[in-house]
């Protein structure tokens, strides 16, 4: 929806569609589609890279600058969170969690700029959930041994085998669908709301309701749910992985 | 012949709309469950305010897990409304 449509009242109804295809080319016989999601992800990665580059440039041990305080606070927060929920020996895991959280939250909040949320494309949360899935099982095999890993499926009684397999498969499905569903429902509700407000504007002739109200509702549907889902995704990743760890402290 | 196709399409669309509405009844479950969880968390914080951070964090994770069923029904409803698979089956 264009801003001009928004102020004057949209001419046609609400349009809910997937990410647009920007370019498509063949490489070694495989068709590669460059969608909105891919391009916006590059933009986010570039933006985060430039931001971190600026934050971490010119670091000192004495007389530290304000931006270094911010950078140290962010790093320390992520490390503390990982240590609290996974135990001290999982400290090395913090960079992955930090990167995932940053990408998830920026990918959701990019909708505040009027662009399409990266996480409203099912491919993105599914990829993250599959990474988590691989990590859960590799941790399980590494700490329990392969025999112990297979034995874990037959616990507490061997009759539970199908249930255990089903619950393992359900983990990435539910994680990815939760993230995707929350963001996409927020996107649809906000676009329905913008449409309704623009119709009112069209009827009464002045943009009275389109000022302020969308900002307040975006606070919940975009900001809160984007932040919450990013947080829940990293928390669930950490909980599942430390549950799979045989010699966990906590 | 043309009339029959139109009627078939109308039936599929109407039934899909009913299905989307019916699917959203599942929203009741997570609503009750999350309300109960948040109520219990409030009680726990009231009893032990110093543990509010851990309680809130655990509560949010529990809420997120409880929300899954609601999200599944929402996805079914969205699928029926915006990407109806049954319309293509009409041919």
């Amino acid at each position: 929806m264009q801003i001009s449509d928004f102020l004057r009242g949209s001419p046609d109804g609400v349009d809910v569609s997937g990410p647009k295809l920007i370019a498509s080319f063949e490489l070694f016989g495989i068709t590669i589609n460059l969608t909105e999601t891919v391009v916006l992800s590059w933009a986010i990665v570039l933006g985060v890279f430039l931001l971190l580059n600026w934050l971490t440039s010119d670091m000192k041990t004495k007389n530290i600058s304000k931006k270094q305080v911010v950078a140290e606070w962010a790093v320390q927060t992520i490390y503390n969170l990982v240590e609290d929920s996974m135990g001290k020996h999982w400290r090395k895991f913090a960079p992955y969690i930090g990167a995932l959280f940053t990408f998830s939250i920026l990918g959701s909040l990019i909708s505040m700029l009027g662009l399409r949320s990266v996480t409203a494309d099912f491919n993105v949360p599914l990829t993250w959930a599959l990474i988590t899935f691989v990590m859960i099982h590799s941790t399980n095999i590494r700490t329990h041994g392969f025999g112990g890993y297979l034995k874990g499926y037959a616990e507490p009684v061997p009759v539970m085998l199908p249930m255990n397999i089903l619950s393992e498969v359900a983990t990435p499905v539910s994680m990815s669908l939760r993230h995707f569903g929350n963001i996409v429902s927020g996107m649809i509700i906000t676009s329905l709301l913008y449409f309704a407000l623009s119709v009112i504007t069209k009827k009464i002739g002045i943009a009275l309701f389109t000022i302020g109200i969308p900002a307040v509702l975006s606070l919940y549907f975009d900001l809160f749910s984007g932040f919450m889902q990013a947080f829940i995704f990293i928390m669930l990743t950490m909980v599942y992985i430390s549950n799979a760890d045989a010699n966990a402290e906590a | 012949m043309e009339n029959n196709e139109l009627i078939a399409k109308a039936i599929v669309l109407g039934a899909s709309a009913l299905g989307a509405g019916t699917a959203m009844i599942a929203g009741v479950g997570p609503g009750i469950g999350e309300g109960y969880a948040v109520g219990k968390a409030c009680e726990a914080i009231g009893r032990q305010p110093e543990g509010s951070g851990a309680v809130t964090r655990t509560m949010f994770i529990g809420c997120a897990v409880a929300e899954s069923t609601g999200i599944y029904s929402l996805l079914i409803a969205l699928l029926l409304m915006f990407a109806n698979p049954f319309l293509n089956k009409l041919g």
Side-chain angles (χ1 to χ4, degrees):
Chain A
M1 189 180 272
Q2 306 266 311
I3 292 175
S4 55
D5 287 346
F6 179 54
L7 290 176
R8 268 187 277 113
S10 171
D12 37 50
V14 194
D15 178 39
V16 175
S17 59
K20 287 183 195 69
L21 201 63
I22 289 175
S24 176
F25 56 90
E26 293 245 342
L27 197 71
F28 307 119
I30 307 162
T31 316
I32 294 176
N33 292 328
L34 281 185
T35 57
E36 233 175 331
T37 311
V38 180
V39 175
L40 287 177
S41 303
W42 288 344
I44 291 171
V45 169
L46 190 69
V48 171
F49 173 74
L50 290 177
L51 179 71
L52 293 187
N53 212 1
W54 175 72
L55 275 178
T56 54
S57 65
D58 186 29
M59 291 193 118
K60 294 184 284 268
T61 46
K62 275 181 190 164
N63 295 332
I64 60 174
S65 56
K66 276 178 192 159
K67 65 179 190 197
Q68 191 178 341
V69 175
V70 173
E72 284 179 2
W73 168 81
V75 170
Q76 202 58 50
T77 311
I78 294 289
Y79 271 94
N80 284 343
L81 185 70
V82 172
E83 278 180 19
D84 282 352
S85 29
M86 297 179 84
K88 273 250 180 333
H89 66 293
W90 275 103
R91 214 179 130 78
K92 61 181 187 301
F93 202 63
Y96 173 68
I97 290 293
L100 188 58
F101 183 70
T102 315
F103 194 30
S104 173
I105 197 164
L106 290 178
S108 303
L109 292 189
I110 205 164
S111 66
M112 304 288 269
L113 301 176
L115 301 163
R116 195 175 194 284
S117 291
V118 169
T119 44
D121 182 347
F122 186 52
N123 297 311
V124 176
L126 182 66
T127 312
W128 296 340
L130 287 178
I131 294 173
T132 303
F133 181 75
V134 170
M135 278 179 170
I136 293 169
H137 288 262
S138 62
T139 310
N140 207 331
I141 292 173
R142 210 177 56 236
T143 55
H144 287 88
F146 195 65
Y149 167 71
L150 289 181
K151 196 166 160 281
Y153 281 105
E155 274 171 2
V157 279
V159 189
M160 293 292 280
L161 182 73
M163 306 285 176
N164 282 334
I165 292 175
L166 204 64
S167 83
E168 289 302 323
V169 174
T171 305
V173 174
S174 75
M175 272 179 88
S176 54
L177 280 183
R178 181 178 306 122
H179 198 306
F180 168 72
N182 267 291
I183 302 299
V184 101
S185 66
M187 191 181 84
I188 288 172
I189 290 171
T190 38
S191 54
L192 284 175
L193 184 93
Y194 290 172
F195 176 64
L197 290 176
S198 70
V199 167
I200 296 174
T201 302
K202 210 175 178 180
K203 284 275 183 296
I204 63 173
I206 44 167
L208 186 67
F209 291 96
T210 38
I211 298 167
I213 296 175
V216 176
L217 288 158
S218 274
L219 207 63
Y220 178 76
F221 290 118
D222 290 329
L223 250 178
F224 178 74
S225 88
F227 176 78
M228 219 51 239
Q229 290 309 312
F231 180 68
I232 283 163
F233 201 92
I234 61 162
M235 283 309 283
L236 283 178
T237 302
M238 288 192 284
V239 168
Y240 281 133
I241 291 175
S242 57
N243 276 350
D245 188 2
N247 35 26
E249 285 169 23
Chain B
M1 195 61 213
E2 218 172 71
N3 211 8
N4 278 355
E5 273 176 20
L6 205 65
I7 290 172
K9 209 176 171 185
I11 290 174
V12 167
L13 283 177
S16 302
L18 283 176
T22 318
M24 285 318 292
I25 295 175
V28 174
I32 295 173
E34 281 178 29
Y36 192 72
V38 175
K40 284 286 178 192
C42 288
E43 273 177 31
I45 292 174
R47 219 174 292 134
Q48 278 180 312
E50 67 275 10
S52 68
V55 170
T56 315
R57 212 159 54 210
T58 318
M59 183 199 75
F60 273 127
I61 295 172
C63 281
V65 174
E67 211 175 43
S68 309
T69 50
I71 295 289
Y72 295 158
S73 75
L74 174 75
L75 284 173
I76 299 288
L78 289 180
L79 207 68
L80 285 174
M81 284 196 295
F82 297 113
N84 199 322
F86 304 118
L87 269 184
N88 299 330
K89 284 193 179 165
L90 282 179

